[in-house]
């Protein structure tokens, strides 16, 4: 019994801290984690895909309302947020690359920039939401903007707040994940031997950015 315990302890000491005993090797652990993340991202795409289909259906039913609704959005702020998220995808990719080559400073700096971009995005959305709140450009029965009313325009704003709000929740979750790996990066946990967490969070963040690239023209550039 004592020998078995010693063997188990010795085996544990032979493996790096990030390796879990139920995997055959580090490569298998990485592939499994990546497959799990891609599966999760597929469910996210299905969720937003349902909203996109709902938007398309309502747009086909009330095109005048959707055309009128998008004129109340600030396209300039939408462009700013699009540019910010695209840039954050670049810095996220650079953070992953820095982890792959054991560049601790590069990981920390690029993660910090990515977090800053995410915060800028949410701040811009706050000002957009505040403006619509004060103007009464809200969903359903809460729509009180009477000037130039078009029937069913409140449906457009219902979809606007649902889709951008859900995306905003994902951005907030992303900030939490980025902060987590940022702290780990400061502790020196990531290098060429182990960067799984950085890459998986990077995949999540790229999806968040990609969804916004679809939302921006759909909501702000209705033609």
């Amino acid at each position: 019994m004592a020998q078995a315990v010693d063997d188990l302890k010795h085996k544990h000491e032979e493996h790096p801290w990030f390796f879990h005993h139920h995997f055959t090797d580090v490569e298998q652990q990485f592939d499994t984690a990546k497959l799990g993340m891609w599966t999760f991202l597929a469910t996210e795409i299905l969720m937003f895909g349902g909203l996109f289909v709902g938007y398309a259906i309502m747009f086909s039913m009330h095109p005048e309302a959707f055309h009128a609704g998008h004129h109340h959005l600030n396209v300039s702020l939408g462009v700013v947020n699009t540019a910010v998220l695209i840039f954050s995808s670049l810095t996220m990719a650079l953070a992953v690359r820095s982890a792959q080559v054991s560049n601790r400073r590069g990981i920390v700096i690029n993660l910090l920039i990515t977090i800053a971009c995410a915060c800028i995005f949410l701040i811009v959305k706050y000002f957009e939401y505040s403006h619509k709140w004060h103007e009464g450009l809200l969903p359903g029965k809460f729509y009180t903007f009477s000037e130039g009313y078009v029937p069913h325009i409140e449906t457009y704003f219902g979809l606007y707040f649902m889709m951008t709000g859900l995306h905003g929740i994902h951005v907030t979750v992303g900030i939490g994940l980025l902060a987590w790996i940022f702290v780990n990066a400061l502790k020196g946990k990531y290098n060429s031997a182990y960067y799984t967490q950085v890459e998986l969070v990077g995949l999540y963040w790229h999806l968040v950015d990609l969804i916004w690239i679809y939302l921006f023209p759909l909501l702000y550039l209705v033609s």
Side-chain angles (χ1 to χ4, degrees):
M1 181 64 179
Q3 181 63 38
V5 172
D6 290 339
D7 291 342
L8 183 61
K9 182 178 180 182
H10 178 68
K11 182 179 179 180
H12 176 74
E13 290 175 347
E14 287 180 343
H15 294 298
W17 67 269
F18 53 82
F19 180 69
H20 299 288
H21 66 86
H22 50 278
F23 292 103
T24 303
D25 50 42
V26 175
E27 288 74 18
Q28 184 192 48
Q29 176 176 301
F30 173 74
D31 291 339
T32 302
K34 201 166 185 178
L35 177 61
M37 176 54 76
W38 278 113
T39 303
F40 168 72
L41 296 181
T43 65
E44 292 288 289
I45 292 172
L46 288 173
M47 178 174 61
F48 277 97
L51 290 174
F52 291 147
V53 171
Y55 180 95
I57 293 173
M58 298 308 297
F59 177 81
S60 65
M61 295 174 61
H62 312 293
E64 299 84 3
F66 279 61
H67 285 298
H70 100 276
H71 287 297
H72 292 286
L73 302 187
N74 191 320
V75 178
S76 297
L77 292 181
V79 170
V80 169
N81 264 352
T82 302
V84 165
L85 283 190
I86 290 175
F87 181 68
S88 74
S89 266
L90 171 62
T91 56
M92 186 69 242
L94 291 174
V96 175
R97 180 56 184 165
S98 296
Q100 293 172 340
V101 297
S102 301
N103 181 359
R104 178 181 174 184
R105 183 172 181 271
I107 303 171
V108 170
I109 292 176
N110 284 295
L111 285 177
L112 190 60
I113 295 173
T114 306
I115 293 171
C117 288
C119 291
I120 291 172
F121 178 90
L122 291 181
I123 291 171
V124 171
K125 291 308 297 180
Y126 167 78
F127 284 111
E128 284 193 89
Y129 279 7
S130 295
H131 171 73
K132 290 168 183 59
W133 178 273
H134 291 301
E135 292 290 329
L137 299 167
L138 300 171
K141 65 179 182 180
F142 301 104
Y143 185 91
T144 59
F145 189 82
S146 58
E147 183 180 343
Y149 175 76
V150 177
H152 303 291
I153 192 173
E154 61 272 16
T155 302
Y156 168 82
F157 283 103
L159 286 167
Y160 167 82
F161 279 104
M162 184 183 299
M163 298 169 82
T164 59
L166 183 60
H167 178 263
I169 291 173
H170 281 73
V171 172
T172 304
V173 171
I175 291 174
L177 293 172
L178 290 166
W180 168 55
I181 61 174
F182 174 76
V183 171
N184 285 341
L186 289 176
K187 296 178 180 178
K189 288 189 174 183
Y190 305 127
N191 50 51
S192 58
Y194 179 71
Y195 53 87
T196 302
Q197 293 174 350
V198 183
E199 182 158 344
L200 297 186
V201 172
L203 288 174
Y204 172 84
W205 190 250
H206 291 319
L207 178 68
V208 171
D209 295 349
L210 182 63
I211 290 172
W212 177 257
I213 290 175
Y214 279 94
L215 287 177
F216 172 65
L218 200 65
L219 296 171
Y220 290 77
L221 305 177
V222 180
S223 60

